[in-house]
C-alpha cells in the first residue's frame, strides 16, 4: 500500500456495506442505501467501489466526504431490503 499511482498513495482498502432499511418491490429502486466510510488518518479522499448487491444493480453513487448514498434498482422478482458490498479505498494526494 505504500506505492504511488500517479499523484496518489493508497493508504487502506477495506470492505464496507451500504445498507437500505426500506423494502422495495420488484422493479423499484432503493434511494437510501448508505454507509459512512471509516476515517483513515492522513487520507485526503476516498473511493467507493461497488462489488455486489444482494438483490439489485447499482445505478448511481453519491459521495459527500465519507458519506456514501447509492441508488439501486431491485432486479429480483420479490420485495427486499438492499445491501451493497463495496471496497472503500482511502488515499492521499502526494
Amino acid at each position: 500500500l505504500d506505492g504511488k499511482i500517479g499523484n496518489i498513495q493508497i493508504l487502506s482498502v477495506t470492505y464496507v456495506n451500504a445498507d437500505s432499511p426500506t423494502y422495495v418491490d420488484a422493479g423499484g429502486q432503493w434511494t437510501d442505501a448508505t454507509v459512512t466510510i471509516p476515517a483513515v488518518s492522513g487520507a485526503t479522499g476516498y473511493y467507493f467501489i461497488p462489488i455486489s448487491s444482494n438483490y439489485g444493480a447499482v445505478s448511481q453513487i453519491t459521495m459527500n466526504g465519507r458519506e456514501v448514498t447509492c441508488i439501486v434498482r431491485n432486479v429480483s422478482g420479490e420485495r427486499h431490503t438492499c445491501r451493497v458490498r463495496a471496497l472503500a479505498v482511502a488515499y492521499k494526494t502526494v
Side-chain angles (χ1 to χ4, degrees), residues 62-83:
T62 303
M63 291 188 66
N64 183 7
R66 294 182 301 114
E67 304 288 325
V68 180
T69 302
C70 300
I71 296 177
V72 185
R73 173 77 54 196
N74 182 350
V75 295
S76 77
E78 298 180 13
R79 183 175 170 87
H80 294 285
T81 59
C82 179
R83 169 168 277 180

Side-chain angles (χ1 to χ4, degrees), residues 23-62:
Y23 282 82
V24 172
D25 291 329
Q29 67 181 16
W30 295 276
T31 59
D32 60 350
T34 60
V35 66
T36 299
I37 296 172
V40 174
S41 178
T44 56
Y46 298 87
Y47 293 117
F48 180 84
I49 305 168
I51 298 171
S52 66
S53 176
N54 56 345
Y55 297 107
V58 177
S59 62
Q60 181 178 334
I61 298 168
T62 303

